[in-house]
Amino acid sequence: MFSTASKSGANQTPSPGPFGRFYLQELINSGGMAEIWLATDERQKPYALRRMHEGYRFNFLARRRFMRGAEILAKIGDHDHIVGYVEHGKISGRPYLLMDYVEASNLKELYAQHDPVLLENVAQILIDMAEGLEHMHDNGFMHLDFKPENVLVTRNAAVRLVDFDLALPIPEKPRKASKKNPGTPAYMAPEQLLGEPISPRVDIFSYGVSAYELLTNQKPFPGDTPGEILAKQLDRSDFVMPRQLNPDMPASLQKVILRCLEREPDRRYPFVGMMVRELQAALYV
C-alpha cells in the first residue's frame, strides 16, 4: 500500500466509488486533513489519490496548505526518492493530488515492527532519504516536516519522501516561518521551536532526529510537549550518544548524526549534499 492503513481521520470512513474520472478502489490511509486512496482511471491504471476530507471544505487555511503542497511537489521534479507527481486540482470543489502508486509502508511502521526490509537495508535507506531531501533543497524548497512517517519504503527497499503540505521556498536568508506552519515538535530544530528565523538546516536537524531514532529506537530529545523537547535540545546534560544505544553503529556514522543535531544551525552541515557524501563514506556505500 501507499502508506499506513490507519483510518483515524476526522470524518467517518468514506466508501469506495467514483470521484470525477477516477474510481476510488480502496482507502489506504486517512489522516488529519486528507485521505489517500488506491484509485484507477478509465484505463484501470492505478494511482495514489490524496483527497481532502469533506469536513475541511470551508477550512481555507487547510485548503491553501493542501494545494501549496501539491504545487510544490509538481515543481520539485522527478527523482527516484520523491513520490511521483501526476496532477492536482479540484473535483466538485474538493482538492485532490494524484501521485504514482507504490506498494510501501512508512519508516515508522517498519522500525516499530523490526521489519527485515529495514534491518537488511538500513544503510541504503539512510542515504536514499538524504538524497531525496538533497533533491528537494536543490530545487528550492524546504520540507519542514521531515520525519519517519513521511518516508515510504517498498518491499525492495525503495525510498520515497511524501507530504509536502508544510514545505516552503528556501529564503535568501533565514526568516521566520508562520506560526500556523507548525511541523512535528519531536523532529523540529531548536530555532523552529523558539520561533526564530529558519533555513534549510532545519531539515538537516530533522534528518538527524529521524536517523538517530531509526538506529536506536529512541528519540534523541524525548518529551511530551514542545517545551520539554526544547529544554532537552538546549540543555543536553542527559543526552545519550547513539553508539551507547547501538554499539554496532560506526563511529563515523555517529559523527554525521551528531553534526546534524547541533544546537546552532551554523554548526550543522551547510548543505545536504555534504551530509550525503559523508554518509556514503561512513556507510561504505
Side-chain angles (χ1 to χ4, degrees):
M1 51 190 144
F2 184 82
S3 186
T4 172
S6 166
K7 298 186 176 71
S8 57
N11 298 7
Q12 291 184 340
T13 303
S15 301
F19 180 62
R21 70 181 194 278
F22 305 103
Y23 192 90
L24 306 181
Q25 302 281 357
E26 178 186 352
L27 182 64
I28 299 170
N29 183 32
S30 183
M33 70 177 186
E35 58 205 30
I36 297 177
W37 288 85
L38 166 59
T40 51
D41 62 11
E42 61 276 5
R43 299 167 298 161
Q44 298 303 305
K45 179 176 172 60
Y47 298 97
L49 189 149
R50 186 171 188 248
R51 181 176 70 166
M52 177 164 279
H53 289 312
E54 180 66 28
Y56 282 82
R57 179 176 289 272
F58 299 109
N59 185 325
F60 298 108
L61 173 63
R63 288 172 68 92
R64 186 164 63 248
R65 188 175 287 169
F66 183 103
M67 296 302 285
R68 183 184 67 198
E71 290 163 5
I72 286 173
L73 178 57
K75 292 174 182 176
I76 289 171
D78 291 340
H79 189 268
D80 287 347
H81 307 313
I82 303 281
V83 67
Y85 168 86
V86 181
E87 66 177 58
H88 73 282
K90 298 174 186 175
I91 294 176
S92 300
R94 199 161 172 183
Y96 76 96
L97 167 63
L98 196 68
M99 299 167 283
D100 290 342
Y101 176 74
V102 290
E103 293 240 359
S105 299
N106 74 52
L107 195 54
K108 182 177 182 179
E109 293 176 308
L110 292 178
Y111 70 65
Q113 299 163 1
H114 304 288
D115 193 289
V117 170
L118 174 58
L119 300 177
E120 294 165 10
N121 299 279
V122 64
Q124 194 61 55
I125 289 170
L126 284 168
I127 291 170
D128 289 351
M129 63 188 200
E131 288 182 343
L133 195 58
E134 179 185 19
H135 177 78
M136 190 171 180
H137 285 196
D138 286 349
N139 282 273
F141 296 97
M142 306 179 285
H143 192 287
L144 300 183
D145 199 20
F146 188 94
K147 57 184 179 180
E149 293 96 318
N150 288 336
V151 179
L152 299 184
V153 183
T154 70
R155 297 312 302 172
N156 62 356
V159 167
R160 301 286 187 277
L161 303 191
V162 298
D163 196 342
F164 305 94
D165 287 354
L166 300 186
L168 288 174
I170 293 174
E172 291 186 12
K173 60 181 182 179
R175 71 180 184 198
K176 289 188 178 183
S178 166
K179 290 183 179 179
K180 295 181 179 179
N181 205 30
T184 306
Y187 301 92
M188 291 168 74
E191 60 269 30
Q192 285 175 287
L193 292 171
L194 288 166
E196 296 176 349
I198 62 172
S199 72
R201 296 188 194 198
V202 299
D203 281 344
I204 292 174
F205 187 94
S206 300
Y207 177 91
V209 175
S210 300
Y212 183 109
E213 186 177 17
L214 174 62
L215 293 162
T216 68
N217 285 317
Q218 294 187 29
K219 289 186 173 66
F221 309 108
D224 295 326
T225 67
E228 290 178 5
I229 293 164
L230 178 61
K232 296 278 189 180
Q233 292 176 349
L234 298 179
D235 178 15
R236 306 204 177 195
S237 58
D238 56 356
F239 176 78
V240 180
M241 298 291 277
R243 292 189 77 219
Q244 290 180 246
L245 300 169
N246 181 358
D248 294 332
M249 181 189 305
S252 53
L253 177 56
Q254 175 174 269
K255 183 179 177 182
V256 172
I257 292 171
L258 293 180
R259 186 169 181 185
C260 293
L261 294 176
E262 285 284 358
R263 182 168 41 209
E264 300 298 329
D266 289 347
R267 295 176 64 88
R268 297 175 210 145
Y269 291 100
F271 305 105
V272 179
M274 184 181 296
M275 180 183 80
V276 170
R277 305 294 93 76
E278 292 199 7
L279 275 170
Q280 290 170 331
L283 295 168
Y284 308 103
V285 175

